Amino acid sequence: MRFEYAGVPKDPALLQVNKDVEYCGKHMLKNERLLVNPDNKGVKDVVVYVYTGRGGSKLDDVPAANTKHVLANDKCRFEPHIVLAQTGDTLEITNPDPVGHNANLNFFKNAAQNFLIPAGGSKTVDLKEEEPAPIPVDCNIHPWMRAYVVVLEHPFVAKSDENGELVIKGLPEGEELTFRVYHEAGRIDEVTVNGKVETWSRSRFDQEIKAGENDMGTVVIPVGALSYD
């Protein structure tokens, strides 16, 4: 599926850098809250996943992949902006910068973390429990820095690329599944899908999964749904 912004794309605003200015200030950091491709209006970092909470889908247990994900404090920003993980995975937070950072992970179910990462250092976090929502990761030393970690009990999740496109692979065939849509810049619930207006209550929609490729088409998000600020 592909996500498209209905309005005129804006250039992301430059962030106010007020700490470690000599190093961080030279990178011309931009606000990554809402990134819209000026060429095709694709919306980046829309997260779509099979929702298994109350009223959601029932899935067979999926074995843990035990994948290690790296979240880097790179040039005074987090890279990547969104980490997609499964329970049993680990999150290694690294710091290739010459200045110190910290990582404040406000987990609901996993143990909350807030630790310093010196220049060249790293810390590893075990992701043992599914989280009910994307979890913000902040650097309290550099308050403009923010990323998100999504932790699910299954691998059926994807985030849109710079063209607004995403693919979720391996979904069970022959079932109607409930999906949840998330974007940090606002709620996605009133949309137009392939020219037809739809209401996604609680940012969820149902889709029957058929054999082969299931094309959800283009989802146009109205201007008022997402905010650059």
Side-chain angles (χ1 to χ4, degrees), residues 47 49 82-86 127 131 133-135 148-152 157 182:
V47 178
Y49 59 91
I82 298 178
V83 175
L84 305 178
Q86 185 181 350
L127 304 174
E131 292 290 342
I135 301 300
Y148 292 87
V149 178
V150 178
V151 187
L152 303 171
V157 57
Y182 170 84

Side-chain angles (χ1 to χ4, degrees), residues 28-48:
M28 304 295 290
L29 297 168
K30 295 182 178 181
N31 189 342
E32 298 179 65
R33 173 181 168 87
L34 176 56
L35 299 176
V36 181
N37 191 319
D39 296 324
N40 56 24
K41 297 187 178 183
V43 181
K44 188 177 181 182
D45 288 333
V46 180
V47 178
V48 180

